[in-house]
Amino acid sequence: MLKGSCACGQVRYEIKGHLSGPITYCHCWRCRKHSGSSFGTTASLDASALTFVAGEDLLRSWESSPGVQRFFAGCCGSPIYKRDEADPDRLGFRLGTLDSDPSMKAGMHYHVGSKAPWVEIADALPQESEGVPFGQRD
């Protein structure tokens, strides 16, 4: 079982089972803006595997693109997951909120066409080149 929490600790969760790979470093503008960082670190998760043990009522969401809701801790802003209406049983889960080691390594860079100009990718992971240029939104 994996455990995690938001930055202030009021939202806490457990994941029964494992994350679905690959772990991706997503460079799209939405992941940058939502994480407040150079990219978002995400893996898929079966929605039924996620259980909130505290603070579920503190979750807030916004629609980042048609049919996609991004959920975050309203108490401190930590991004937790996204849900797509087209596949509601799968979540895009933010690994930065984990307090347990998922025993997986990153598998690819996603939307590298949107990469921030200050980021240099120096690893050998596969790169998916899609994405609008930095500074633009689709």
Side-chain angles (χ1 to χ4, degrees), residues 1-5 13 15 19 95 97-103:
M1 177 182 306
L2 297 173
K3 295 183 179 191
S5 59
Y13 61 81
I15 296 171
L19 301 173
L95 273 66
T97 62
L98 282 173
D99 297 324
S100 302
D101 180 356
S103 300

Side-chain angles (χ1 to χ4, degrees), residues 27-29 32 111-117 129-138:
H27 298 269
C28 80
W29 68 268
R32 282 198 323 273
H111 280 280
V112 173
S114 297
K115 179 178 71 63
S129 62
E130 291 182 12
V132 299
F134 178 80
Q136 297 180 24
R137 297 177 182 220
D138 53 1

Side-chain angles (χ1 to χ4, degrees), residues 5-12 58 73-78:
S5 59
C6 67
C8 72
Q10 292 185 70
V11 175
R12 294 189 315 275
L58 298 172
C75 44
C76 62
S78 294

Side-chain angles (χ1 to χ4, degrees), residues 30 62-71 82-88 90:
R30 286 180 187 88
W62 64 285
E63 188 173 42
S64 62
S65 53
V68 177
Q69 292 287 320
R70 291 183 183 252
F71 291 81
K82 72 175 180 177
R83 179 181 306 230
D84 190 334
E85 287 176 2
D87 191 7
R90 305 289 300 158

